[in-house]
Amino acid sequence: MFAELLSNPGLAREIVLALAAGVLSFVSACSLPLLAGVTAYITSTAWEADRGPGVIRKAVPGQIIVLILSFATMFVLLGLPASHAGRWVSVEQGLVRRLGGVAAVLVGGQMAGVETIRRLAARINLARTDGRPGLVLAGLIGLGMAGAWNPCPGRVLTSILILGGAEGQMEFAAALLAAHAVGFGLILLLSALAWHHLVSLLHGPSTPARVLRLAGAVTLIIWGVTVFFDWLGPLTPRGPGVFAV
């Protein structure tokens, strides 16, 4: 694939176009449910340590990266139903979505201070020693996001998904889907890190900080319930957004 990419300017242009489409699709209305989930996760999990905002900023982004990488992987596999892995993921999409919803509720409950959930997460090794959710829960939330999300059908993404369903075009479609996911995921990651930095500035025992953390935890629980019951798609604002790509 890489040799073909280097020797075929047309293929390189297609990948650049898919990357740009992923970046631009971030401003569509369909990305709002993803932003809601990511910002709720960050708002609720950025407060657990009392060692200063610098330590928190280094610890939490690792979970954000895992969340977004798992989302991108699931997104690519769902777009390749002709592949063995894509076929399995498509069949088990509902199970993956529900696991992601449960993970979001667990994280929200932990961060809201629900003692039963805290003890459960610690018992099954889904929480870190400092009380924050571990990478496994972050990964499951990312998978659930992709399983529940219904992206806006832009022209580029629709063409890629058609290719993904063809037996002889899987490698090409996989490269384009990966480029699209990288473009979208990169902007999502930058937005998440910017929000995390903003939230970390309020770190401390003050009342606004506690209220914001609780609001994030409750929002994440509600978001997890909508993912579990597959309500995210119907609640997603439809339309091409600013760029119909």
Side-chain angles (χ1 to χ4, degrees):
M1 172 61 73
F2 290 111
E4 186 180 354
L5 179 61
L6 292 174
S7 62
N8 188 344
L11 178 57
R13 282 195 298 271
E14 293 289 341
I15 288 185
V16 171
L17 178 61
L19 182 70
V23 171
L24 295 177
S25 66
F26 183 80
V27 297
S28 69
C30 306
S31 67
L32 291 177
L34 299 184
L35 279 175
V38 171
T39 54
Y41 178 87
I42 294 168
T43 305
S44 61
T45 59
W47 308 91
E48 190 59 24
D50 263 342
R51 294 169 292 172
V55 176
I56 293 177
R57 280 199 295 270
K58 291 176 183 176
V60 177
Q63 298 171 15
I64 299 170
I65 291 170
V66 168
L67 189 154
I68 293 174
L69 281 177
S70 61
F71 163 80
T73 301
M74 183 75 171
F75 174 78
V76 171
L77 290 176
L78 284 171
L80 299 172
S83 68
H84 292 297
R87 192 176 302 118
W88 183 87
V89 166
S90 298
V91 170
E92 302 297 339
Q93 182 177 355
L95 173 62
V96 174
R97 187 196 72 246
R98 287 190 290 273
L99 286 174
V102 169
V105 171
L106 281 174
V107 172
Q110 276 183 266
M111 297 300 98
V114 180
E115 194 59 33
T116 303
I117 293 180
R118 280 177 176 269
R119 287 200 296 266
L120 174 64
R123 184 175 301 173
I124 58 180
N125 296 321
L126 292 179
R128 293 158 48 116
T129 55
D130 60 6
R132 287 198 301 269
L135 296 178
V136 173
L137 286 176
L140 285 174
I141 291 173
L143 293 175
M145 277 185 177
W149 187 44
N150 189 11
C152 287
R155 292 189 295 271
V156 174
L157 183 57
T158 300
S159 301
I160 295 172
L161 292 176
I162 291 172
L163 283 175
E167 290 281 355
Q169 301 290 336
M170 278 192 296
E171 286 189 7
F172 183 40
L176 295 180
L177 274 171
H180 193 284
V182 166
F184 185 89
L186 181 62
I187 303 302
L188 184 60
L189 176 61
L190 292 175
S191 301
L193 293 177
W195 178 252
H196 182 266
H197 176 71
L198 204 62
V199 168
S200 68
L201 296 178
L202 292 173
H203 176 261
S206 65
T207 299
R210 291 199 299 270
V211 170
L212 187 58
R213 173 183 168 178
L214 183 60
V218 172
T219 302
L220 190 60
I221 291 171
I222 295 171
W223 186 89
V225 171
T226 64
V227 167
F228 184 90
F229 289 106
D230 201 17
W231 296 337
L232 202 60
L235 292 175
T236 300
R238 307 312 300 167
V242 179
F243 298 97
V245 291

